[in-house]
């Protein structure tokens, strides 16, 4: 039973557990409408131009616009925009993208799954060069792309469970040199180009299921890889150097 007087805290915990933010911006959140980051090195969230700024206690805008930014917890979220190195041209195919504010930390809180009714589904480059992170947080079930998500996470030992809707794992674990076990690939995944490139400690491979169509250099440079690789792909069109250097 929850003691009388603690309902407010219990409700806040329930909202966080759902990993969704909508309605009122919570404490610690700040929302920039059509934001432009200031030139120069600067800091994440250092925006020189924004049509409007909403803070904790304010309502979220009715509809997000291209370029909107939401800062909360360990992350920066951008609406229909990509991040440097994410290698996407059509960002409008996604809703919210996400990246960490500080790539030097050893651990991170789970990211949100939706913001004001729109999914966080572009995780490309989310943990780019987080060189001190050993274990990944849980990824949201709304994720569609995790390409380059753990690029050069050289301390990563425990990969996340890959959500069921993910279609691209291109370069996701590129140069994760301490990774020994590969996560399973859900049937939604089609592209694993360079997914485990130069993962020199990787011992086992995931099953290459029937829906995968691309695996160029997927395990290239995985010098510790051993045992048979189960390949069930029936429409594999690109597989150049998939096992080169193993």
């Amino acid at each position: 039973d929850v003691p009388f007087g603690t309902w407010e805290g219990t409700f806040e915990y329930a909202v966080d557990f759902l990993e969704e933010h909508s309605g009122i911006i919570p404490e610690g959140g700040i929302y920039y409408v059509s934001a432009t980051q200031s030139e120069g090195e600067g800091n994440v969230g250092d925006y020189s131009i924004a049509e409007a700024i909403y803070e904790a206690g304010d309502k979220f805008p009715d509809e997000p616009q291209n370029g909107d930014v939401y800062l909360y917890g360990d992350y920066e979220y951008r609406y229909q925009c990509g991040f440097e190195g994410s290698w996407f041209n059509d960002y409008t195919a996604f809703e919210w993208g996400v990246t960490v504010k500080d790539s030097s930390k050893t651990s991170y809180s789970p990211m949100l799954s939706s913001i004001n009714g729109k999914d966080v589904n572009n995780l490309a480059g989310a943990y780019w060069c987080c060189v001190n992170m050993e274990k990944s947080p849980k990824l949201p079930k709304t994720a569609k792309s995790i390409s380059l998500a753990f690029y050069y996470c050289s301390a990563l030992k425990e990969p996340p469970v890959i959500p069921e809707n993910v279609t691209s794992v291109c370069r996701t674990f590129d140069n994760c040199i301490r990774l020994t076990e590969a996560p399973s690939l859900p049937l939604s995944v089609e592209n694993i180009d360079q997914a485990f490139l130069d993962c020199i400690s990787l011992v086992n491979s995931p099953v290459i299921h029937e829906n995968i169509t691309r695996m160029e250099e997927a395990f290239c440079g995985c010098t510790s890889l051993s045992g048979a690789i189960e390949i069930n792909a029936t429409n594999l069109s690109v597989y150049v150097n998939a096992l080169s250097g193993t």
Side-chain angles (χ1 to χ4, degrees):
D1 293 339
V2 179
F4 180 78
T6 64
W7 292 104
E8 181 177 355
T10 304
F11 176 74
E12 290 175 354
Y13 174 80
V15 171
D16 287 341
F17 181 77
L18 292 173
E19 301 176 342
E20 301 173 354
H21 281 189
S22 61
I24 303 298
I25 296 174
E27 190 67 32
I30 184 167
Y31 192 107
Y32 297 87
V33 176
S34 295
T36 301
Q37 196 161 17
S38 59
E39 295 182 1
E41 294 183 3
N43 296 313
V44 172
D46 180 17
Y47 295 100
S48 58
I49 301 173
E51 292 181 5
I53 300 174
Y54 299 93
E55 299 180 332
D58 294 334
K59 290 183 63 178
F60 279 97
D62 291 337
E63 287 288 335
Q65 302 177 35
N66 183 289
D68 283 7
V69 172
Y70 181 54
L71 303 180
Y72 184 80
D74 289 328
Y75 302 99
E76 174 179 332
Y77 302 86
R78 298 187 194 181
Y79 190 71
Q80 291 189 336
C81 286
F83 296 92
E84 182 180 358
S86 63
W87 290 15
F88 280 113
N89 294 317
D90 184 14
Y91 300 111
T92 59
F94 301 94
E95 293 180 344
W96 288 98
V98 58
T99 191
V100 296
K101 296 177 183 176
D102 180 0
S103 62
S104 68
K105 296 181 65 175
T106 58
S107 62
Y108 298 89
S109 58
M111 59 182 64
L112 302 173
S113 62
S114 72
I115 300 168
N116 207 28
K118 300 294 185 180
D119 288 344
V120 175
N121 52 20
N122 184 2
L123 276 58
Y127 298 100
W128 176 282
C129 291
C130 290
V131 296
N132 298 313
M133 179 178 65
E134 293 188 4
K135 181 179 180 180
S136 166
K138 179 182 178 181
L139 302 183
K141 62 182 181 297
T142 50
K144 290 184 178 179
S145 174
I146 58 171
S147 295
L148 290 157
F150 299 96
Y151 178 79
Y152 265 86
C153 289
S154 53
L156 185 70
K157 296 178 181 178
E158 295 187 46
V161 173
I162 298 178
E164 292 295 329
N165 293 319
V166 167
T167 58
S168 177
V169 188
C170 176
R171 300 193 74 175
T172 296
F173 300 102
D174 185 342
N175 270 276
C176 291
I177 59 175
R178 288 179 174 81
L179 189 69
T180 59
E181 299 291 327
S184 298
L185 301 173
L187 292 175
S188 55
V189 172
E190 299 173 356
N191 184 348
I192 62 167
D193 284 351
Q194 300 176 324
F196 301 97
L197 180 67
D198 290 331
C199 289
I200 59 176
S201 299
L202 191 70
V203 175
N204 74 317
S205 160
V207 173
I208 310 303
H209 59 69
E210 61 268 26
N211 295 330
I212 290 175
T213 60
R214 299 183 58 98
M215 57 180 294
E216 181 177 355
E217 296 184 340
F219 302 98
C220 182
C222 294
T223 54
S224 299
L225 197 65
S226 62
I229 297 177
E230 184 177 343
I231 300 179
N232 299 323
T234 56
N235 192 28
L236 197 57
S237 59
V238 181
Y239 49 87
V240 177
N241 294 326
L243 298 171
S244 177
T246 59

